[in-house]
Amino acid sequence: MRQKFLPRLVTTVAIAVPATALAQQRPNIILFMVDDMGWQDTSVPFWNQRTPLNNTYETPNMERLASEGMLFSQAYAAPISSPSRCSLMTGANAARHRVTNWTLKRGESTDIDDAEVATPEWNWNGISQTAGTDHTFQARSFVDILRANGYHTIHVGKAHWGALDTPGEQPEHFGFEVNIGGHAAGGPATYLSEQNYGHDAKGNPTSPMHIPGLQKYWQSGTFLTEALTQECLAALDKAKQYGQPFYLYMSHYAVHIPIDRDVRYYQKYRDKGLSEKEAAYASLIEGMDESLGEILGWLDRNGERERTVIIFMSDNGGYATGSYYRDEPLFTQNAPLRSGKGSLLEGGIREPMIVRWPGVVKAGSRCNSYLMIEDFYPTILQMAGIRRYRVPQRIDGRSFMPLLCQSGNPSKGRPLIWNYPNVWGNTGPGISLNCAIRLDQWKLIYNYKTGVKELYDVENDISEENNLAATRPEVVRKLSRLLGRELRRMNAQRPVFKKTGKPCPWPDEHFGN
C-alpha cells in the first residue's frame, strides 16, 4: 500500500556531472554495507601507508573495487548501528532524528543505567514513514523515492531501522519490494546453519536476533554470509528480467558479533599465526569480501558493470571493547585509529568507503575530504537522476557528487556533528555521554557528564594521542560555540543530572576543563 505523507519541505537537487555520465541514464545502484567493519579491517590501505592490519587481512575484491573506483579516506558514520542506518535512510543527522542508540524492543530504551545522569527519552522505536508511533522520527526514505521513480528495490541482510512491532521494523515499509533476512534485529543470533540461524528444530526463534526466511539453508553447512549472498544473486537474476534499473542494499550482518568461524577461511588465518579469536574475525572479513566478489562477478557476467554504481561502506567502527571476542590489548583493533565501536574517537566513527561508477569516477582515485553517512541520501538520489522530491523531514546531508566528479569540495569549512547522550554498556575511551564536532583539521569531543573537552588535530594526529585543549583554548571556544549552536539548531537531546534534575550543560555553556 502506498503511504500518504504530509510534506513540510520540498528539496530540489540539481546534478552536474560529466557528459559520459549523462549517457548512463538511471544507473543501477548497489550499496554494499558491512556491519561493524573497522577502517583497517581490509588489505586496502585507507591510511597514507600500509599497516600491520592491512597485511593481516585478505580482501582482494575490495582491492579490485578500489583500483576501479574512488577510495574515501575520511568517510564518517555514527558510533553505533541504528543512528547511522537511520541517518542513511532519512538524510537527517542523528542529533535531529534522535535515534541515538541501538533499537530493539518497542517502548524500551537500550541505555544502561548511570549512577549520576539520566539519559534522555530518545527515539527508541526508530524511524517510520508514517505518523502515530511514539518515540519515532517520521521521514520518507530515499528508497521509497527510488521505487516511486521506477527503481526495483531489493533489501538483503540487516535492517535495524525500527523496533519490534513498529512500522519501521520491516524493510518493506520503507519502499523495498524485496526483503531477504531483514527485520528489527541489530545482529545475528549466529552465522551457523547448524543452529538454524537462531531457530530451534521446530522453527521457533531462540533469540530476537534470529535471521528470518532462510529455512532452505538450515543444517546445510552454509555460513550466513554466503546464504545471504546466494539469495542476493537470485534476486538480481529476477531483477534483470524486469527491465528496470535496480537499487540493491546488500547489508551484511558480518562482521557483527558473535564472531563465528567461517570455515572457508578460518584455518588459513590460523596457519598465518593468528589466535583462534582473531582468525575467526579475519574469516568473517574475508567471507564478506567474497560476497562482494560474487556480486562483482554477477555484474560482469550479465553486462551490467558499466551502468552500475557500487558504494562500499560500514555503519560504525570495528568492535574493540571485549576480550571475549578480541585479543587484548583492547581499543587497538582499529590502529592507527584509537578505540572502536561506540566511541567518538576516530576508531568508532571513521569508515572504509569506496565508490565505483564507470565513466564518472576516475579509476584508482582517492578522496581525502570528509563526508558523513547522511550525505548518502541526497547523493544516491542524484545518482538516479531524481532532481525533485518531497519529504516531511529536514535533510542535513550534502551530496558528495562534486567529490566523485572532482568538481568541488562541499566538505571545506563544513562542520560534522555527532551526538551520543546515551550509555552504550561497553566502556572505553570516547564511549558514551558525549558529543563531537569535526571542522577541517580540528575535532572536539565534549563529555556531558564530566564537562571534559578533548581537542585533536586529526590531520596531523590520526591516533588522537595529543589533547590540545589546554594549549589551543581559542580553538576549543570556537568549536564549543559552533557545536552547541548546531545541537540546539537540530533540537538535540542531552542527559540530565539525577541529583539536581538539571540538564547537563551544552558544550558552549561549559568552558572549564
Side-chain angles (χ1 to χ4, degrees), residues 1 37-38 82 87 177 180 203 240 246 252 310 337 375 389 393 403 427 438 443 452 467-468 471 489 499 507:
M1 180 180 295
M37 181 182 180
S82 291
S87 288
E177 296 167 309
I180 300 166
K240 188 169 175 59
F246 63 78
H252 275 294
I310 301 181
L337 305 185
D375 298 342
Y389 43 90
Q393 74 271 23
L403 299 179
T427 59
R438 171 80 192 269
K443 179 177 163 193
V452 170
N467 180 3
L468 302 176
T471 58
R489 182 181 65 83
K499 187 174 181 179

Side-chain angles (χ1 to χ4, degrees), residues 90 92 96-97 99 123 126-128 135-139 393-394:
T90 66
R96 186 184 302 281
H97 65 59
V99 187
N123 282 333
I127 59 174
S128 173
H135 294 89
T136 301
F137 182 76
Q138 185 187 0
Q393 74 271 23
R394 177 68 176 264

Side-chain angles (χ1 to χ4, degrees), residues 27-266:
N28 305 315
I29 302 170
I30 297 175
L31 175 51
F32 191 99
M33 181 70 76
V34 190
D35 197 12
D36 290 4
M37 181 182 180
W39 194 57
Q40 293 293 294
D41 289 347
T42 173
S43 52
V44 177
F46 279 84
W47 196 22
N48 57 16
Q49 58 189 269
R50 291 193 67 83
T51 68
L53 290 174
N54 296 149
N55 295 328
T56 297
Y57 302 121
E58 298 181 24
T59 55
N61 295 296
M62 285 185 68
E63 292 181 29
R64 174 191 170 186
L65 196 67
S67 70
E68 296 173 347
M70 178 178 285
L71 179 153
F72 286 80
S73 64
Q74 298 194 74
Y76 285 103
I80 295 292
S81 172
S82 291
S84 287
R85 291 166 185 266
C86 291
S87 288
L88 166 70
M89 289 293 276
T90 66
N93 185 271
R96 186 184 302 281
H97 65 59
R98 295 184 169 189
V99 187
T100 46
N101 206 355
W102 61 282
T103 59
L104 182 57
K105 296 181 180 180
R106 180 170 182 154
E108 294 186 19
S109 172
T110 54
D111 283 346
I112 302 300
D113 186 61
D114 183 87
E116 298 178 42
V117 299
T119 56
E121 290 198 8
W122 54 282
N123 282 333
W124 46 62
N125 287 329
I127 59 174
S128 173
Q129 293 209 122
T130 53
T133 306
D134 63 275
H135 294 89
T136 301
F137 182 76
Q138 185 187 0
R140 188 181 187 189
S141 79
F142 72 87
V143 179
D144 193 61
I145 297 172
L146 289 174
R147 180 198 54 76
N149 282 270
Y151 271 75
H152 178 54
T153 51
I154 307 166
H155 172 92
V156 182
K158 175 174 170 175
H160 209 199
W161 296 305
L164 290 163
D165 301 319
T166 68
E169 174 184 6
Q170 298 298 334
E172 294 91 335
H173 173 77
F174 294 104
F176 284 104
E177 296 167 309
V178 176
N179 171 29
I180 300 166
H183 63 140
T190 175
Y191 292 87
L192 303 179
S193 70
E194 293 83 354
Q195 297 178 22
N196 298 339
Y197 310 125
H199 299 80
D200 64 20
K202 295 182 178 180
N204 301 307
T206 58
S207 164
M209 303 295 182
H210 68 280
I211 309 302
L214 298 176
Q215 288 88 337
K216 73 179 184 181
Y217 297 97
W218 291 2
Q219 303 298 316
S220 68
T222 307
F223 204 70
L224 174 60
T225 307
E226 178 61 11
L228 291 172
T229 302
Q230 292 307 310
E231 290 300 295
C232 170
L233 297 178
L236 288 175
D237 286 339
K238 290 183 180 179
K240 188 169 175 59
Q241 302 172 16
Y242 299 152
Q244 301 171 256
F246 63 78
Y247 170 70
L248 167 64
Y249 184 44
M250 179 68 252
S251 178
H252 275 294
Y253 285 96
V255 295
H256 195 286
I257 60 171
I259 310 300
D260 290 328
R261 300 172 183 176
D262 189 332
V263 296
R264 296 175 295 172
Y265 310 104
Y266 172 76

